[in-house]
Amino acid sequence: MLLAIDVGNTNTVFALWNGENFVETWRTSTEVTRTADQYYVWLSTLMQLQGLGDLRINEVIISSTVPRVVFNLRVLCNRYFDCRPYVVGKPDCALPVEPRVDHGTQVGPDRLVNAVAGFDLYGGDLIVVDYGTATTFDVVESDGAYGGGVIAPGVNLSLQALHEAAAALPLVDVTMPPQVVGKNTVDCMTSGVFWGYVGLVNEIVRRIKDERGVPMKVIGTGGLAPLFQQGDTLFDVFEDNLTMHGLIVIHRYNKALEA
């Protein structure tokens, strides 16, 4: 049984893959102080509660945007699963096509994984828009290589910064406003963030397409992507499990290299 782990700046997702589909997926907050033993108690308890206690994990692949978390996840794999995990971005975890970025540039592992997943599902010439802690735009070349991208502040990060910088402004949820012009503070803030990010995505995608000069499919992913799709036709397709799919593809690729 393969365990795929996606560590984001805010949340960490664990998913069990049986070779054909995901058996179960769990989410927890990302904490750099969480030990290998704590991970195991949490994970094994959830597996027992859902009748999966008899399943044996013997392979692991990790994508982590938080480097300090990786050590304890490696210990988890060594101590409890008796395996050495693949860690995306490390020399011993190969990608189907190497990224085309400036020499010495470190690309977030999640962005590399999304590029692999997008190419596997839809072929090349893609723009992947990921609504995470940051809002990222990643270009997938015609042959599947990661070709660079754009990083903007995340939606929730922008709302938090606005609340903290302006004492009179509350912390609001991200929703689609009833109209563009708000009649109260909350509606004004909601409209500014919602339509502001619709405009941001539309403009950056347009400029990427103009710069590349080829037709490009736009893939939306991340928790807030479906919400923003309501405001405009931002994406050609939405993929909820894009990163997890990419981890499976990368794991399969590395196992084939070892065979």
Side-chain angles (χ1 to χ4, degrees):
M1 184 69 63
L2 170 64
L3 176 64
I5 305 175
D6 173 30
V7 183
N9 289 295
T10 305
N11 294 312
T12 299
V13 179
F14 291 71
L16 287 176
W17 175 259
N18 65 6
E20 296 182 359
N21 49 60
F22 287 108
V23 176
E24 191 56 78
T25 300
W26 301 282
R27 184 180 299 268
T28 185
S29 58
T30 299
E31 296 180 11
V32 297
T33 58
R34 185 170 289 154
T35 67
D37 300 330
Q38 289 173 315
Y39 278 120
Y40 181 73
V41 170
W42 173 79
L43 183 60
S44 60
T45 300
L46 287 173
M47 291 178 66
Q48 290 286 347
L49 288 172
Q50 295 181 252
L52 303 173
D54 293 335
L55 296 180
R56 180 174 176 267
I57 296 170
N58 55 12
E59 294 183 291
V60 180
I61 184 166
I62 301 168
S63 167
S64 177
T65 59
V66 186
R68 290 175 59 193
V69 171
V70 175
F71 174 78
N72 282 324
L73 289 176
R74 284 188 182 274
V75 174
L76 168 72
C77 298
N78 179 65
R79 181 178 299 170
Y80 292 105
F81 306 141
D82 192 28
C83 71
R84 180 183 178 86
Y86 291 112
V87 181
V88 178
K90 299 299 182 182
D92 58 351
C93 183
L95 297 174
V97 185
E98 288 300 305
R100 297 195 181 102
V101 294
D102 291 344
H103 181 70
T105 299
Q106 298 224 344
V107 182
D110 56 330
R111 304 174 74 186
L112 297 174
V113 173
N114 285 348
V116 171
F119 183 74
D120 184 70
L121 292 170
Y122 300 103
D125 292 324
L126 306 175
I127 302 171
V128 179
V129 184
D130 188 354
Y131 286 84
T133 303
T135 301
T136 58
F137 302 75
D138 296 307
V139 170
V140 183
E141 305 274 9
S142 59
D143 62 349
Y146 175 85
V150 177
I151 301 175
V155 180
N156 286 313
L157 191 63
S158 295
L159 282 170
Q160 183 70 35
L162 191 60
H163 167 65
E164 292 178 357
L169 296 181
L171 185 61
V172 300
D173 292 329
V174 185
T175 58
M176 183 175 178
Q179 56 193 36
V180 176
V181 178
K183 301 295 186 180
N184 57 70
T185 301
V186 170
D187 283 352
C188 289
M189 293 177 65
T190 301
S191 183
V193 170
F194 184 87
W195 292 114
Y197 271 84
V198 167
L200 179 145
V201 172
N202 270 325
E203 183 65 11
I204 291 179
V205 165
R206 182 187 68 80
R207 287 180 177 272
I208 291 174
K209 289 180 176 180
D210 288 348
E211 188 170 275
R212 306 294 292 183
V214 296
M216 303 184 77
K217 183 184 289 289
V218 182
I219 302 175
T221 191
L224 291 175
L227 170 65
F228 280 88
Q229 184 74 334
Q230 297 178 52
D232 206 345
T233 308
L234 297 178
F235 322 120
D236 296 308
V237 64
F238 168 70
E239 286 291 342
D240 188 29
N241 293 316
L242 190 67
T243 305
M244 282 300 169
H245 180 81
L247 286 174
I248 300 306
V249 174
I250 293 171
H251 179 267
R252 187 187 304 133
Y253 177 76
N254 279 270
K255 295 298 287 187
L257 290 178
E258 294 177 358

